[in-house]
Each structure stands twice: as structure tokens, then as C-alpha cells.
């Protein structure tokens, strides 16, 4: 094949600018204080070859500048070319070998370190010819093999690669990126797991055709594990909640160990369902999306992201402007991939409004919840390309589309407008197995919609915004579920899953409460304090369990769905198990009560809430022993011999 000229944009490892919230990503100066070039974008690794034209994004380049590539005992020099206000180009020098290089700007006697990247020689392929109407072109390949039939999209228009692995995209560059749908059996070639290289930033003018290639590697992922986590709300608040420490000691430590052990058997991937950061603190605490990316550096599995409402820029008004920072760091806000025989789709269902936002001013951060028509059009086209409608489809988005937290446990649409839920569901007509994955609520809910479609609303990694862990040492969500994540195991088209509480054994799937002990905690002074929470003021006046009969036992089955079974016996006698709509006691003593006792503000969204996975039995007397057995839909059983009276404490098991 003839030589391939790639037109590579150097992507961002972290946004380098003087804006608050991203300061830890600033480049260091070499030989001179200050910066000659700012707002630099660079990828941590890329294939290159001698004579290739590379574009470096940055403000401040000047004619006559020189770029130095300093490797292990080697140094290459290249003059900058085609200088503009936002980028400059240079030609890759001959003799480049696989190595890590410091990219240094030299201007006269002054130098500035711009970034560090790893370069490696690319295959010597033919130039992708221009094609009339195409503004983006490129190749998808694995080693020396071009890959045909791979879908390539800009989020509006989608094409497929030809027999040479080439694609031509008539893009108007609306979103500013191009991405591929990963074909089964492949992964992106990437050394930065936090930003898998299935996408590339578009930096050229709309009318100029630019080239972006995608290098893949083979992966045996017919059997694989997908970790699904959500709502990290990292904000760098050491004196308030110690969120980064709690996150590092808990979720990060546990999942890194899990992945290291599991990957000896099969690949592991991770999907974050949004709210990785907390927009309110981007600028005041200097912790934004690029800082989160730094926190996750070196994570041992490919990490895919969903955009949450708190991942919008609080200074920007409107959905498109609010997404700009996210797109620069993590790329597409909606995309798809085939891993093994499962089709994964990511959507963005937070439509950001942010009334009164402005440069230097945080707006209202308000938004609506639905999937835009532009996404739905792309989604319909994506699903039409799935040839096997029996292939499981897993769809990740941030805000839940349905809710069953009501007295009858009925499914109710939650998009606004509510018709948006139906519009989304209609796209999946004809598919036999569809699972929606959502976060946002900070509780667990399994919501069966039809025999072919269900939603799994996953509880939060940050539990109650890290406050329960801070106040009591127990990380518990609003529904009493432990802070945690979901684990999905795929074997071909067969799927199994479970909820994993951070710090808990895999088999721990419920918690039981002797309500005699719980009710004893509700002394008058406790009830009076709890009545400050808004929903309690009109629901029991602070006494959550005024209507609970003596000798009642509650069982909170965190990941319950209708195919689970719950069996309780007292001295061998079966007790009737009833599903009830009630609050979880543990969250009350780990968060609601100690927060008010400490004189901290009432935040209505953080209050314990009635949920859909609490169950009740009535024992014959206070001191009897119960045997509780809970079995999930896959036949896995969790059990407890409950000796009563059972203490009600923050460290109860």
C-alpha cells in the first residue's frame, strides 16, 4: 500500500488553560516563567510516521517558533507551520521511533514544555483520497489489516468503512468530533484508559477536509464484565466531606483490585453513568472534568462515560454551550459500541438550560430530562444497523426514564415532557432484550416495563453526596442501599448482574431491621429534629414509623426485582412477606439525624425517602429468631439468622 498521510489533531489529556477548575493541568515552563502558548491539547499516545503533518491546538504560536521532541537520549526539531490563533502544525521528522517525547516550544532563547506524549511508527499506507462532499475522512484498521463495515459518525451523519477500511463523512462538524461504533472483538488502541480512542476532535474549518484514523486491537470479549457506576460528585472538599479520600479509599481501591483479579479470566470495562463531578464547585474548588480525569489516571479498565447534569459548565447558558468542556475532555455525548455479543448505547438525556449563567457567574443549573430529536434520529439509525434483534441492548443515560417509588409501585414516566419516555422506548420495538441503565437518583430501583424492556436505576458511588460517610462512617444512599455499583456479566448473549456495595461481600444483598429497636430510637427529641426535613413535616411529623405494628421486621432488599423471592420463617413457621412503601432506618441514623444534630443545612433532595424494595413481616413476639432467605432471579441466595431483639446501630450488619 502507498504512504498514508494522516491529519491528526492532538487530543486533550486534560484541558490546559488558565480557567479555574482546570489549573492542575497547566503546562510547566522550561527556561522562562509564564506561558508563551496556552490552551494546549495533546493526546497521550498516537501512531505517526516521518513526513506526517500534525496539528497542535493552542493559543499563542508565532511564525518562527520551533518545536522540539525530546525522547530517551534523542531530540528532533521541527519548525511550526500554518500558524493560526488556535493551532499550529509541524511535520514529523525522520527517524522517529517508539518512545515517549516531551513536546517543547522554543522561541529564540526561551523554551516552554507544552506536553508529553508517546509516539510510535504507523503502518506505511496509501493516502485516503479526497471525495467530493466529504469534510472528514480516514481509515479504521487493526495492525496491517483494514476493517470494513465499521460505522463512523459525527453524531448527525453516519457512514461505514469500505473494503479498504476507508470512510468519507459529509460532516458539518456541528459537535466538533468524529467517532466510531466499536466492532465486536476489538478495542481502541489506547494508553489512556480514561479516554478510549474511539473518537477524535475536529479542529479544521467546516469546508476543509481533515483526516482522522482509528487504530483498533483485537480483544476476545465474547465473555466480559461491565462495571456500571454513577454519581461520584467529586468536588475536592477535604474539610467538608473528604470526598476524594473517601472515593480513593473505597470505590477506587476496591474496583481496581476487582478488575486486576477478573481480567485474568475475561476483559472488564467500566461505564460511568454521569455526575462524575459537581458543577457547583468547578471554579471555586478548582476541580472540574479534567481534574477528575487526572484522579482516574491509570484506571485498569477502559472507562466509558455518560454526561450527567452536573457535568455541564455552570457558566454557560444552554445545552450546546454547557457541553463544550465535556466534549473537549471526553468527546461524544452519545455513541455506541459492540462488546462481544452485547450492543451498548450511551445517550445524553439532560437538556441543560442554566438560566442566568454568565462568565464568572454560576447560573441556576436547571435542565430538562429527555432525549433530543437529533439523538433519536441517530439512535434509530444505529439500531437499524443491528442485524440480530435478539442481541442484548444496554442503554446508558444519566436521569431515570421511569420511576416506581410510589405506594402502588407502578411504573411512571419521569422525562419532561413525559412523552419523551415513550418516544425513547418506541425506538426499541422489535428487540427482544433491552436494559436501560440510569443513575441520578442516588437509590436502587428495578423497573420492569415490558417482557422485553426494563430499567435498572443504579444507586450512587457517593451515597448521600459523601455526607453519610463523613457524619457516621457508613456510606449509605437515600434508600438504605450501601454506596456501590452494578456488575454485569456477559457470556455471549446471556446476561447476569448484581449490585455490589463498596466494602460489602458480593453475597450481601439486604439488611434487616427489628422495628421494635428502631421505634425505640424515635424518642420525642428525635422526632422533633427529624420533622425539619420537608417531606417528613407532612408525613408523620417526623415519626417515620408511627403506623408500624409491634414485633414487625423490615427487610431492605437493595436490588430487588419481581423475579426475586423472599422467605422468612420463625421457628420453622413461614411468615407472610409484604412489600411496603417506607423509609430505610439506617439512612436516618447515618445521615438525616446526625446532619441536623450537627446544625447543618436541610437539603431536601438528600432526605431519606420511601422506596420500592422494602419488605415487612410480623413476628409473634419480641425475642424470637427469624431465618431470612433472599434469592435473586439467577438463583443466588443471601441469608441471615436474625436473633432478636436486634440492635439498631450505625454499624449493624
Amino acid at each position: 500500500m502507498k504512504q498514508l498521510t494522516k491529519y491528526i489533531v492532538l487530543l486533550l489529556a486534560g484541558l490546559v488553560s488558565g480557567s479555574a477548575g482546570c489549573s492542575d493541568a497547566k503546562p510547566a515552563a522550561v527556561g522562562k516563567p509564564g506561558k508563551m502558548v496556552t490552551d494546549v491539547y495533546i493526546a497521550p499516545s498516537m501512531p505517526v510516521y516521518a513526513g506526517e503533518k500534525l496539528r497542535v491546538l493552542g493559543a499563542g504560536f508565532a511564525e518562527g517558533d520551533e518545536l522540539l521532541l525530546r525522547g530517551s537520549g534523542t531530540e528532533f526539531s521541527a519548525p511550526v507551520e500554518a500558524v493560526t490563533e488556535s493551532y499550529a502544525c509541524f511535520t514529523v521528522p525522520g527517524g522517529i521511533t517508539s518512545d515517549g517525547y516531551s513536546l517543547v516550544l522554543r522561541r529564540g532563547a526561551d523554551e516552554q514544555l507544552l506536553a508529553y506524549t508517546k509516539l510510535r511508527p504507523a503502518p506505511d499506507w496509501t493516502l485516503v483520497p479526497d471525495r467530493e462532499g466529504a469534510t472528514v475522512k480516514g481509515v479504521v484498521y487493526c495492525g496491517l489489516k483494514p476493517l470494513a463495515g465499521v460505522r463512523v459518525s459525527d453524531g448527525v451523519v453516519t457512514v461505514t468503512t469500505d473494503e479498504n477500511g476507508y470512510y468519507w463523512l459529509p460532516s458539518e462538524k456541528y459537535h466538533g468530533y468524529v467517532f466510531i461504533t466499536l466492532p465486536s472483538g476489538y478495542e481502541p488502541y489506547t494508553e489512556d484508559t480514561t479516554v478510549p480512542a474511539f473518537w477524535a476532535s475536529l479542529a479544521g474549518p467546516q469546508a476543509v477536509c481533515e483526516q482522522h484514523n482509528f487504530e483498533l486491537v483485537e480483544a476476545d470479549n465474547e465473555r466480559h464484565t461491565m462495571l456500571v457506576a454513577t454519581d461520584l460528585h467529586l468536588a475536592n472538599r477535604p474539610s467538608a466531606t473528604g470526598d476524594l479520600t473517601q472515593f480513593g479509599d473505597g470505590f477506587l481501591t476496591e474496583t481496581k483490585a476487582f478488575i486486576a483479579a477478573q481480567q485474568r479470566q475475561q476483559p472488564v470495562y467500566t461505564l460511568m453513568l454521569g455526575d462524575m463531578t459537581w458543577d457547583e464547585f468547578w471554579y471555586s474548588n478548582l476541580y472540574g472534568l479534567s481534574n477528575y480525569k487526572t484522579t482516574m489516571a491509570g484506571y485498569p479498565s477502559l472507562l466509558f462515560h455518560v454526561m450527567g447534569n452536573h457535568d455541564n459548565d455552570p457558566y454557560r447558558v444552554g445545552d450546546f454551550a454547557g457541553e463544550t468542556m465535556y466534549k473537549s475532555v471526553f468527546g461524544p455525548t452519545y455513541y455506541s459500541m459492540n462488546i462481544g455479543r452485547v450492543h451498548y448505547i450511551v445517550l445524553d438525556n439532560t437538556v441543560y438550560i442554566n438560566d442566568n449563567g454568565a462568565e464568572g457567574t454560576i447560573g441556576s443549573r436547571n435542565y430538562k430530562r429527555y432525549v433530543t430529536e437529533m439523538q433519536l434520529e441517530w439512535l434509530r439509525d444505529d439500531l437499524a444497523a443491528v442485524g440480530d434483534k435478539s442481541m442484548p441492548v444496554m442503554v446508558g443515560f444519566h436521569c431515570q426514564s421511569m420511576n416506581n417509588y410510589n405506594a402502588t409501585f407502578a411504573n411512571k414516566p419521569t422525562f419532561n415532557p413525559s412523552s419523551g419516555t415513550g418516544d425513547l422506548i418506541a425506538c426499541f420495538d422489535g428487540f427482544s432484550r433491552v436494559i436501560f441503565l440510569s443513575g441520578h437518583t442516588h437509590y436502587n430501583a428495578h423497573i420492569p416495563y415490558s417482557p422485553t424492556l426494563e430499567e435498572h436505576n443504579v444507586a450512587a458511588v457517593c451515597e448521600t453526596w459523601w455526607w453519610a460517610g463523613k457524619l457516621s462512617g457508613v456510606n449509605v444512599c437515600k434508600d438504605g442501599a450501601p454506596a456501590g455499583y452494578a456488575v454485569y456479566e456477559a457470556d455471549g448473549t446471556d446476561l447476569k448482574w448484581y449490585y455490589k456495595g463498596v466494602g460489602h461481600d458480593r453475597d450481601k444483598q439486604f439488611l434487616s431491621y427489628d422495628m421494635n429497636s428502631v421505634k425505640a430510637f424515635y424518642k420525642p427529641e428525635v422526632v422533633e429534629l427529624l420533622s425539619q426535613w420537608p417531606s417528613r413535616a407532612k408525613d408523620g411529623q417526623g415519626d417515620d414509623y408511627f403506623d408500624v405494628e409491634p414485633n414487625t421486621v423490615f427487610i431492605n432488599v437493595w436490588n430487588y426485582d419481581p423475579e426475586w423471592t423472599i422467605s422468612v420463617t420463625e421457628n420453622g413457621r413461614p411468615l407472610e412477606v409484604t412489600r411496603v412503601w417506607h423509609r430505610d432506618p439506617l439512612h436516618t441514623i447515618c445521615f438525616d439525624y446526625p446532619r441536623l444534630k450537627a446544625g447543618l443545612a436541610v437539603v431536601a433532595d438528600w432526605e431519606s425517602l420511601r422506596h420500592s424494595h422494602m419488605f415487612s413481616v410480623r413476628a409473634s413476639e419480641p425475642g424470637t429468631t427469624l431465618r431470612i432467605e433472599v434469592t435473586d432471579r439467577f438463583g443466588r441466595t443471601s441469608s441471615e439468622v436474625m436473633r432478636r431483639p436486634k440492635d439498631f446501630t450505625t454499624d449493624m450488619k
Side-chain angles (χ1 to χ4, degrees):
M1 302 177 79
K2 298 178 183 178
Q3 186 179 10
L4 171 66
T5 300
K6 296 185 294 180
Y7 197 58
I8 298 180
V9 174
L10 294 179
L11 301 178
L12 179 67
L15 179 63
V16 180
S17 72
S19 63
C22 304
S23 59
D24 67 338
K26 293 178 182 176
V30 178
K32 177 184 177 179
K35 312 278 188 300
M36 293 178 284
V37 176
T38 59
D39 298 332
V40 177
Y41 287 75
I42 186 167
S45 175
M46 68 192 80
V48 298
Y49 56 83
E52 179 178 8
K53 300 286 187 183
L54 297 182
R55 178 179 292 185
V56 184
L57 300 185
F61 286 108
E63 296 290 347
D65 285 348
E66 181 184 11
L67 289 175
L68 306 177
L69 285 81
R70 290 175 175 163
S72 302
T74 60
E75 179 174 295
F76 300 92
S77 173
V80 301
E81 311 167 24
V83 174
T84 73
E85 292 182 356
S86 58
Y87 68 84
C89 298
F90 72 96
T91 301
V92 176
I96 287 289
T97 60
S98 292
D99 198 356
Y101 293 89
S102 296
L103 185 65
V104 178
L105 174 72
R106 175 181 288 170
R107 181 178 297 168
D110 298 322
E111 293 185 356
Q112 177 189 339
L113 173 64
L114 298 180
Y116 179 84
T117 187
K118 292 182 179 179
L119 304 180
R120 61 188 187 281
D124 185 17
W125 285 1
T126 58
L127 171 69
V128 178
D130 287 339
R131 177 173 288 183
E132 184 177 357
T135 57
V136 186
K137 64 180 181 178
V139 179
V140 183
Y141 66 98
C142 176
L144 298 176
K145 179 178 66 174
L147 298 177
V150 178
R151 292 172 62 79
V152 186
S153 180
D154 63 354
V156 180
V157 179
T158 302
V159 297
T160 56
T161 56
D162 67 10
E163 66 277 7
N164 297 312
Y166 298 160
Y167 72 88
W168 293 268
L169 192 65
S171 175
E172 295 184 358
K173 305 183 181 180
Y174 174 78
H175 289 295
Y177 50 66
V178 59
F179 59 93
I180 65 170
T181 293
L182 282 176
S184 180
Y186 294 92
E187 293 176 355
Y189 184 103
T190 185
E191 295 187 22
D192 183 0
T193 58
T194 63
V195 186
F198 69 94
W199 66 280
S201 177
L202 301 177
Q206 195 278 323
V208 174
C209 185
E210 52 188 291
Q211 183 162 326
H212 296 280
N213 304 328
F214 297 96
E215 182 181 3
L216 307 182
V217 294
E218 291 185 342
D220 182 7
N221 52 22
E222 181 88 356
R223 296 178 67 243
H224 68 270
T225 299
M226 179 68 77
L227 305 185
V228 177
T230 185
D231 292 273
L232 280 56
H233 286 274
L234 297 176
N236 189 26
R237 306 179 72 198
S239 60
T241 60
D243 55 334
L244 293 177
T245 299
Q246 290 196 63
F247 177 68
D249 292 346
F251 177 86
L252 269 188
T253 298
E254 177 171 307
T255 56
K256 283 180 177 180
F258 175 90
I259 293 166
Q262 189 77 0
Q263 282 183 334
R264 301 189 191 107
Q265 306 167 18
Q266 62 193 51
V268 181
Y269 306 90
T270 303
L271 178 63
M272 292 291 188
L273 293 177
D275 283 2
M276 285 72 68
T277 58
W278 196 344
D279 50 350
E280 182 179 350
F281 299 99
W282 275 19
Y283 297 105
S284 62
N285 288 10
L286 304 183
Y287 194 92
L289 290 167
S290 62
N291 308 89
Y292 156 76
K293 183 177 176 296
T294 300
T295 297
M296 299 301 293
Y299 196 69
S301 81
L302 290 180
L303 188 56
F304 299 96
H305 291 93
V306 173
M307 187 171 193
N309 57 293
H310 289 290
D311 299 319
N312 285 279
D313 189 336
Y315 285 178
R316 310 299 173 202
V317 175
D319 195 46
F320 191 83
E323 295 171 345
T324 302
M325 184 71 77
Y326 181 94
K327 289 176 178 177
S328 73
V329 179
F330 294 117
T333 58
Y334 53 95
Y335 55 93
S336 65
M337 52 192 172
N338 295 299
I339 300 179
R341 297 175 65 188
V342 181
H343 187 60
Y344 292 89
I345 299 170
V346 163
L347 298 174
D348 171 19
N349 66 356
T350 58
V351 183
Y352 200 54
I353 299 171
N354 196 32
D355 289 326
N356 305 313
E359 187 65 35
T361 300
I362 293 178
S364 303
R365 298 182 294 134
N366 52 321
Y367 58 94
K368 288 190 175 183
R369 300 185 302 272
Y370 64 92
V371 178
T372 62
E373 184 57 34
M374 177 179 287
Q375 286 186 75
L376 290 176
E377 289 182 8
W378 173 88
L379 174 63
R380 295 181 190 109
D381 185 64
D382 179 84
L383 291 170
V386 179
D388 182 4
K389 304 305 181 187
S390 67
M391 185 179 191
V393 179
M394 300 185 71
V395 188
F397 42 75
H398 182 63
C399 297
Q400 77 280 23
S401 70
M402 294 176 277
N403 191 323
N404 62 1
Y405 273 33
N406 55 75
T408 62
F409 313 115
N411 295 341
K412 295 183 178 180
T414 55
F415 282 179
N416 55 332
S418 61
S419 59
T421 297
D423 292 340
L424 176 62
I425 290 173
C427 294
F428 297 91
D429 288 347
F431 285 85
S432 59
R433 186 70 181 279
V434 180
I435 298 176
F436 288 174
L437 303 170
S438 59
H440 187 60
T441 60
H442 296 236
Y443 55 68
N444 269 319
H446 183 100
I447 307 163
Y449 175 79
S450 73
T452 60
L453 189 147
E454 58 195 85
E455 180 165 350
H456 300 175
N457 195 200
V458 182
V461 170
C462 79
E463 32 101 345
T464 314
W465 290 262
W466 301 109
W467 275 106
K470 169 69 174 181
L471 293 167
S472 66
V474 181
N475 298 100
V476 59
C477 298
K478 295 191 299 182
D479 63 341
Y485 50 96
V487 181
Y488 290 82
E489 301 168 327
D491 186 354
T493 60
D494 182 56
L495 290 176
K496 292 184 173 65
W497 58 83
Y498 60 92
Y499 182 76
K500 175 68 174 64
V502 173
H504 292 265
D505 292 339
R506 169 177 168 164
D507 291 339
K508 184 65 176 177
Q509 294 294 317
F510 69 89
L511 187 61
S512 66
Y513 301 95
D514 186 338
M515 296 307 293
N516 290 343
S517 300
V518 172
K519 287 169 69 72
F521 169 79
Y522 274 72
K523 298 177 174 62
E525 60 270 23
V526 173
V527 172
E528 181 179 2
L529 201 62
L530 291 176
S531 67
Q532 296 180 45
W533 289 105
S535 68
R536 286 181 164 102
K538 52 187 177 183
D539 178 17
Q541 291 74 49
D543 186 353
D544 297 339
Y545 308 109
F546 68 93
D547 58 349
V548 174
E549 298 292 334
N551 301 327
T552 295
V553 168
F554 275 6
I555 306 162
N556 191 348
V557 186
W558 305 314
N559 206 32
Y560 170 81
D561 72 52
E563 295 191 33
W564 288 47
T565 59
I566 301 166
S567 170
V568 183
T569 58
E570 180 185 41
N571 298 323
R573 178 178 65 89
L575 299 181
E576 182 180 359
V577 179
T578 304
R579 191 179 185 184
V580 294
W581 189 44
H582 248 298
R583 290 184 178 85
D584 177 80
L586 185 64
H587 188 262
T588 296
I589 60 169
C590 289
F591 173 78
D592 297 308
Y593 180 67
R595 182 172 179 84
L596 296 182
K597 193 173 182 181
L600 297 170
V602 170
V603 182
D605 286 347
W606 299 357
E607 181 181 4
S608 294
L609 78 163
R610 294 173 178 259
H611 56 82
S612 58
H613 47 78
M614 185 72 85
F615 296 85
S616 174
V617 297
R618 184 89 182 275
S620 62
E621 54 185 285
T624 59
T625 296
L626 306 184
R627 178 169 180 81
I628 303 169
E629 192 170 273
V630 174
T631 305
D632 73 8
R633 62 162 65 198
F634 307 112
R636 297 177 295 216
T637 297
S638 302
S639 61
E640 176 191 359
V641 175
M642 183 185 185
R643 293 178 173 84
R644 301 169 55 250
K646 180 178 181 179
D647 290 341
F648 178 47
T649 64
T650 57
D651 61 352
M652 63 190 304
K653 304 297 182 184

